[in-house]
Amino acid sequence: MTDLTKLKISEARDALRKGDVTSVELTEACLAAIDKADALGAFVHKTPEAAMGQAKSADTRIKAGDAPDLCGIPLGIKDLFCTKGVPSQAASAILNGFKPEYESTVTSQLFDAGAVMLGKLNMDEFAMGSSNETSTYGNAINPWRRGNDDTALTPGGSSGGSASAVAADLCLAATGTDTGGSIRQPAAFTGITGIKPTYGRCSRWGIVAFASSLDQAGPMTKDVRDAAIMLEAMCGHDPKDSTSADLAVPNFEAMLTGDIKGKTIGIPREYRMDGMPDEIETLWSEGRRMLEDAGAVIKDISLPHTKYALPAYYVIAPAEASSNLARYDGVRYGHRAKLAQGDGITEMYEKTRAEGFGPEVQRRVMVGTYVLSAGFYDAYYNRARKVRTLIKKDFEDVFAQGVDAILTPATPSSAFELGKEVSDPVEMYLNDVFTVTVNLAGLPGISVPTGLDSQGLPLGLQLIGRPWEEGDLLNTAYALEQAAGFVAKPNQWW
């Protein structure tokens, strides 16, 4: 078979079962593609020896006839997931040299299912960013270009390396994490599919924490069917994570019928933002029409507290980050600053954190520490928590009115130039305007590529589902994907 790296998970699974290809051949093809794609900055720790070992084991398992769907499938793993004996730095200099002695629950489940790890993927430092420009490894680059223009574009963040690797066919799929849109925004920027499941659906154990009440892992794949296959392997109850839900995991792939007749799709009026590009507005109207043509009932809805979501998020997330990142102090693991004669423990903490954390992480730690401080706790943090409750109630009210899913844009624009928004943090934060509400409410959300803008760059639409109903959400996304018929790929320049 030619172009093995272009296969989807579902296609590779069927080819592996038929004996048309082996996992070793698939893995070798991906490793060769990765070695030629250093210009993308997607893979930051390559693990070819481990990958080949896993691929050989997978081939044995497939021959024995008792292999799960992901057996033999080569994946990339975001650098936020702890992987035993492999550098797991969360793209931060403060974790330089850190190799965990344990495996995150999600990666354990993927490897138990026979998946192959090709290496670790670039990301924003501690998952803080919307453009993958805060990484200690340097930028990840979007494989898409504007027409004949060779300006480097962002793949989105924080899961930028994952998005870039999947879009460029370096791996068949990748893991991502989503705290305020970090799976869905990069997926939209690179023309792939990304789903953030309901909070508690995937274990957070062994994933480096950013904001613990918002973080959730999910798959980044080439289409909705692949997302369903991979999500099922990633989900499940984990006693090691106190927020993990003890719920049965359905066969998500079996729920992909494409039949959404009679389903009610909500269109929230508050998502019509001032200054939203006409192309995004047109795409949204087009998505609405496609779902209507597929038999869905379209209903205009109101989510009145949407305008407060971004400010509330940028109080809650930095507050939790400031608390979570207090553990990086140079004492137990990772980087420790060189100390001068007479320096004590306070100087060690200060110098280590000043050297180890990049500017964006420092900014968020300071904001978080400020909003948690004695004089401002009620004015900022508690108020943001109350707003969060109101945002959650907005969604509950809409779902109580019989709405099955909500259709919104995934991003306020297509991929922008690297370096363009770095100088203005607020401009960068606005990239999350359509996605943060989903994290604040703990709901599942998926980004599906549905079109190209006038410069030939991909655009995505977001569907938001009811809690724990990822199967239903994936089926609606499947119907949208089929109607949109998006098959565009970036031209290879790397």
Side-chain angles (χ1 to χ4, degrees):
M1 296 176 78
T2 54
D3 282 344
L4 293 179
T5 61
K6 290 189 166 55
L7 291 175
K8 296 171 184 169
I9 292 175
S10 55
E11 295 166 343
R13 169 190 65 187
D14 298 345
L16 286 162
R17 298 293 173 285
K18 285 184 197 151
D20 293 345
V21 68
T22 65
S23 177
V24 165
E25 289 166 343
L26 256 182
T27 303
E28 283 173 342
C30 288
L31 291 170
I34 292 164
D35 283 340
K36 290 181 193 147
D38 286 345
L40 291 172
F43 275 87
V44 289
H45 298 293
K46 301 174 188 177
T47 55
E49 295 85 6
M52 291 309 292
Q54 286 173 319
K56 285 170 186 158
S57 302
D59 282 334
T60 306
R61 200 166 163 187
I62 290 164
K63 276 203 184 79
D66 178 31
D69 286 344
L70 278 183
C71 192
I73 304 294
L75 306 176
I77 305 295
K78 186 176 179 178
D79 195 39
L80 208 61
F81 292 78
C82 287
T83 42
K84 188 174 180 180
V86 177
S88 304
Q89 282 183 236
S92 179
I94 208 158
L95 278 173
N96 211 356
F98 176 57
K99 292 183 181 177
E101 285 303 311
Y102 52 88
E103 192 73 50
S104 80
T105 298
V106 165
T107 48
S108 287
Q109 287 172 196
L110 290 171
F111 300 151
D112 288 348
V116 173
M117 179 173 80
L118 298 164
K120 303 297 283 289
L121 293 160
N122 206 347
M123 55 177 280
D124 279 294
E125 184 181 5
F126 283 107
M128 297 182 198
S130 303
S131 63
N132 214 130
E133 292 173 273
T134 67
S135 168
T136 189
Y137 308 119
N139 301 340
I141 314 283
N142 195 327
W144 290 81
R145 292 272 162 99
R146 296 182 189 136
N148 298 318
D149 183 348
D150 59 3
T151 306
L153 304 176
T154 176
S158 64
S159 309
S162 301
S164 178
V166 175
D169 293 321
L170 307 185
C171 52
L172 272 61
T175 62
T177 62
D178 192 310
T179 305
S182 287
I183 285 174
R184 291 159 290 150
Q185 183 247 24
F189 276 2
T190 56
I192 65 169
T193 299
I195 180 168
K196 179 203 94 72
T198 312
Y199 181 79
R201 189 56 112 167
C202 289
S203 170
R204 291 182 300 110
W205 194 85
I207 300 172
V208 178
F210 163 12
S212 303
S213 74
L214 301 161
D215 299 344
Q216 196 60 193
M220 301 180 74
T221 59
K222 296 179 187 181
D223 68 1
V224 173
R225 182 174 297 279
D226 283 6
I229 295 167
M230 188 167 164
L231 182 62
E232 187 184 342
M234 291 173 71
C235 291
H237 179 241
D238 179 12
K240 295 200 288 284
D241 174 5
S242 61
T243 61
S244 170
D246 193 358
L247 288 174
V249 180
N251 180 339
F252 295 128
E253 189 186 8
M255 299 170 85
L256 301 180
T257 61
D259 180 7
I260 56 166
K261 286 188 183 66
K263 293 279 181 193
T264 301
I265 308 294
I267 307 288
R269 65 177 67 102
E270 289 78 10
Y271 280 60
R272 281 199 165 75
M273 302 288 176
D274 289 342
M276 189 159 82
D278 290 343
E279 289 177 317
I280 301 283
E281 181 74 59
T282 306
L283 184 81
W284 194 12
S285 303
E286 194 65 9
R288 175 182 179 146
R289 184 193 59 72
M290 287 185 222
L291 292 173
E292 204 163 20
D293 288 350
V297 177
I298 305 297
K299 179 177 181 177
D300 287 318
I301 58 168
S302 177
L303 298 166
H305 294 94
T306 297
K307 64 182 173 207
Y308 305 115
L310 219 50
Y313 174 84
Y314 278 103
V315 169
I316 291 168
E320 294 187 16
S322 137
S323 172
N324 276 326
L325 270 57
R327 70 190 71 166
Y328 305 107
D329 53 14
V331 176
R332 284 160 296 185
Y333 45 74
H335 174 74
R336 179 184 293 184
K338 287 194 167 52
L339 303 180
Q341 191 86 32
D343 278 352
I345 193 158
T346 305
E347 287 80 11
M348 187 194 74
Y349 289 164
E350 288 172 351
K351 287 182 177 176
T352 296
R353 290 166 71 80
E355 287 175 17
F357 291 146
E360 182 58 34
V361 172
Q362 290 183 18
R363 179 186 290 120
R364 296 202 201 188
V365 167
M366 288 192 290
V367 168
T369 306
Y370 177 80
V371 301
L372 290 176
S373 58
F376 301 103
Y377 188 87
D378 282 334
Y380 291 104
Y381 184 65
N382 261 345
R383 190 172 291 181
R385 284 171 59 214
K386 287 173 184 165
V387 169
R388 179 182 191 167
T389 305
L390 294 171
I391 289 167
K392 191 166 186 285
K393 188 172 184 308
D394 284 351
F395 283 105
E396 286 166 358
D397 292 347
V398 162
F399 290 135
Q401 292 161 20
V403 169
D404 295 293
I406 296 165
L407 179 73
T408 79
T411 56
S413 70
S414 58
F416 50 87
E417 289 172 30
L418 287 165
K420 181 168 174 249
E421 294 177 10
V422 173
S423 57
D424 183 354
V426 175
E427 186 76 17
M428 188 69 84
Y429 297 165
L430 288 171
N431 276 289
D432 303 332
V433 66
F434 298 128
T435 49
V436 295
T437 51
V438 181
N439 299 78
L440 290 167
L443 299 171
I446 185 168
S447 173
V448 180
T450 35
L452 297 172
D453 72 0
S454 59
Q455 298 173 308
L457 297 177
L459 296 169
L461 286 174
Q462 173 179 238
L463 283 159
I464 303 166
R466 295 165 173 265
W468 314 115
E469 294 190 11
E470 288 86 359
D472 198 49
L473 176 65
L474 282 158
N475 187 46
T476 307
Y478 183 60
L480 178 62
E481 175 186 71
Q482 295 214 299
F486 184 92
V487 291
K489 298 287 284 185
N491 294 322
Q492 187 165 345
W493 53 265
W494 56 91

